[in-house]
Amino acid sequence: MPVIFLLFVLTAFFAPCALAQESAAGSDLDHFLQQLWPRARDAGVAREIFDSAVAGLTPEPGLLRRPQAQAEFTISIPSYVSGAVSAARVARGRALASELSAPLATIEERSGVPSEIALAILGVESNFGSATGAADTLRVLATLAYAGHRGTIFSDELVAALVMLQRGDVTRARLRGSWAGAMGQPQFLPSAYLKYATAYSGDAAPDIWTNRLDSLASVANFLKFSGWDPRLPWAVEVVLPKNFDYADFDLDFAQWRALGLARADGEALPASGPASLYLPAGAAGAAGPAFLITDNFEVIRKYNTSDAYALSIGLLADRIAGRRAPIAPWPKKIAALSTADCKELQRLLTTRGFYRGAIDGKLGRTSRNAVHAFQLSEGVQPADGFATKEVLERLRR
């Protein structure tokens, strides 16, 4: 699995015994860290680097009592988008796009990733570098690893941070970030830094803490090696024809055109390429915007597997580039399912044979397609793939 940012860190947080773990951690953490030495050694970390880095580490106060779910999964998509794509963030993004136009063009040429996408990610992750976090990354990762959260992920990340110190990528004092272990302007976990961080110019180690160009180049590099296709947009907003039957969700752009879908801005749809119908507010009642999302939307989700996050990045990027987005208004009120409800939905869809993904409460394309297939099987119209209380109640029958 790709090891990246806050998404993999924040959701499905600690077990009920977390507080007991926190009180016991003070005396046991050092013993736990010493047990990691063989793994660090095998990764190329010298003993003196290891000893200096972990000496005196104590548990991060209150970390185990942090919220159990992040906003991407607990509020409605329109509400999340409204907060992420603020007027102030759009204005700041446009100012930076103008100020950094030459280096951004270079980054785009190297990576094939539109510069506004990289800017949007930096805007959402750290407010364009102004909110990178001041927590001691090693201390945070040691606490999370000791607590046993998400298996070995955080002990792996701790070893990766030690490798960064061994290579001289960063000083111990600079190794700072969020309370979830993500670092710098792009909010990379250490393993992501080792895989994707790149310097804009020169041979020095990439500086994702204070160097905006290194940060933007690293974000674009992540997307490039995660499969970004420069031939396709992240999505296009569309207008559905009257009496659309919602029978299909995954077709080629040419097929969508033949079914009567048109771009909301009046431009032509891409000539070809796979695209999935996405209705982030559903189609029942007061319809909101509709999108044809491409595989590039899924690439953004590799940065953070939330649909709300990926949609916000795409819409913020469009706004930074001077495009109106979205064109259709959001419905006034949409009730978001809780994470527990989403997990139940996935379990019930699995039982019915419609879903074959993880029971994680994260409703992405696989879950949408499963809801869509269930709706079609029940004769529900519109079969919009939108997870609602009504769909959940129907599944419970």
Side-chain angles (χ1 to χ4, degrees), residues 292-303:
L292 291 178
I293 57 174
T294 73
D295 288 342
N296 287 337
F297 183 90
E298 298 303 314
V299 171
I300 297 172
R301 288 183 79 249
K302 292 180 181 179
Y303 210 106

Side-chain angles (χ1 to χ4, degrees), residues 343-353 392 395-396:
K343 288 182 178 180
E344 182 184 1
L345 181 92
Q346 290 170 327
R347 282 192 293 268
L348 293 172
L349 288 168
T350 299
T351 300
R352 299 284 192 99
L392 183 56
L395 280 164
R396 286 170 174 164

Side-chain angles (χ1 to χ4, degrees), residues 292-361:
L292 291 178
I293 57 174
T294 73
D295 288 342
N296 287 337
F297 183 90
E298 298 303 314
V299 171
I300 297 172
R301 288 183 79 249
K302 292 180 181 179
Y303 210 106
N304 181 322
T305 59
S306 157
D307 277 354
Y309 177 89
L311 183 63
S312 295
I313 293 300
L315 294 177
L316 178 58
D318 282 352
R319 295 284 302 279
I320 289 172
R323 297 184 286 270
R324 181 184 169 195
I327 294 172
W330 294 104
K332 291 184 178 180
K333 186 176 181 180
I334 299 176
L337 291 181
S338 68
T339 300
D341 283 344
C342 291
K343 288 182 178 180
E344 182 184 1
L345 181 92
Q346 290 170 327
R347 282 192 293 268
L348 293 172
L349 288 168
T350 299
T351 300
R352 299 284 192 99
F354 295 107
Y355 181 67
R356 294 177 179 82
I359 308 300
D360 55 10

Side-chain angles (χ1 to χ4, degrees), residues 56-361:
L57 281 182
T58 56
E60 182 69 22
L63 181 58
L64 306 187
R65 294 194 296 268
R66 287 283 181 171
Q68 295 188 359
Q70 65 192 97
E72 289 93 316
F73 300 100
T74 56
I75 64 176
S76 71
I77 287 179
S79 296
Y80 182 85
V81 170
S82 177
V85 190
S86 65
R89 191 168 280 164
V90 171
R92 180 61 176 148
R94 288 177 178 174
L96 285 174
S98 177
E99 175 187 339
L100 305 175
S101 59
L104 282 172
T106 298
I107 291 171
E108 183 169 334
E109 182 179 4
R110 291 172 180 170
S111 65
V113 176
S115 59
E116 62 266 27
I117 293 286
L119 274 172
I121 287 178
L122 213 63
V124 171
E125 292 294 337
S126 64
N127 199 24
F128 303 104
S130 66
T132 59
D136 181 343
T137 297
L138 280 185
R139 190 183 190 191
V140 165
L141 293 173
T143 303
L144 293 169
Y146 173 77
H149 181 46
R150 297 190 66 85
T152 65
I153 286 178
F154 289 103
S155 56
D156 294 342
E157 292 299 335
L158 180 59
V159 171
L162 293 170
V163 171
M164 291 172 61
L165 293 173
Q166 176 69 42
R167 298 194 329 183
D169 293 330
V170 63
T171 65
R172 177 68 180 85
R174 175 69 68 81
L175 203 57
R176 294 290 185 271
S178 76
W179 63 267
M183 309 175 301
Q185 298 184 25
Q187 291 292 278
F188 276 8
L189 288 173
S191 62
Y193 179 94
L194 294 175
K195 291 177 185 177
Y196 305 114
T198 185
Y200 173 75
S201 60
D203 298 325
D207 175 8
I208 63 170
W209 291 269
T210 63
N211 189 311
R212 185 174 284 125
L213 293 183
D214 281 6
S215 298
L216 287 165
S218 297
V219 168
N221 200 48
F222 172 90
L223 296 174
K224 173 185 177 180
F225 285 101
S226 295
W228 188 272
D229 186 345
R231 298 168 299 179
L232 294 173
W234 70 273
V236 291
E237 187 178 351
V238 293
V239 177
L240 303 178
K242 292 182 179 180
N243 301 318
F244 183 68
D245 64 7
Y246 298 91
D248 296 297
F249 260 32
D250 292 291
L251 296 172
D252 190 90
F253 275 114
Q255 294 171 299
W256 287 120
R257 188 183 303 106
L259 289 176
L261 275 70
R263 283 184 64 142
D265 61 8
E267 300 294 325
L269 287 174
S272 62
S276 179
L277 182 61
Y278 177 39
L279 303 159
F291 298 89
L292 291 178
I293 57 174
T294 73
D295 288 342
N296 287 337
F297 183 90
E298 298 303 314
V299 171
I300 297 172
R301 288 183 79 249
K302 292 180 181 179
Y303 210 106
N304 181 322
T305 59
S306 157
D307 277 354
Y309 177 89
L311 183 63
S312 295
I313 293 300
L315 294 177
L316 178 58
D318 282 352
R319 295 284 302 279
I320 289 172
R323 297 184 286 270
R324 181 184 169 195
I327 294 172
W330 294 104
K332 291 184 178 180
K333 186 176 181 180
I334 299 176
L337 291 181
S338 68
T339 300
D341 283 344
C342 291
K343 288 182 178 180
E344 182 184 1
L345 181 92
Q346 290 170 327
R347 282 192 293 268
L348 293 172
L349 288 168
T350 299
T351 300
R352 299 284 192 99
F354 295 107
Y355 181 67
R356 294 177 179 82
I359 308 300
D360 55 10

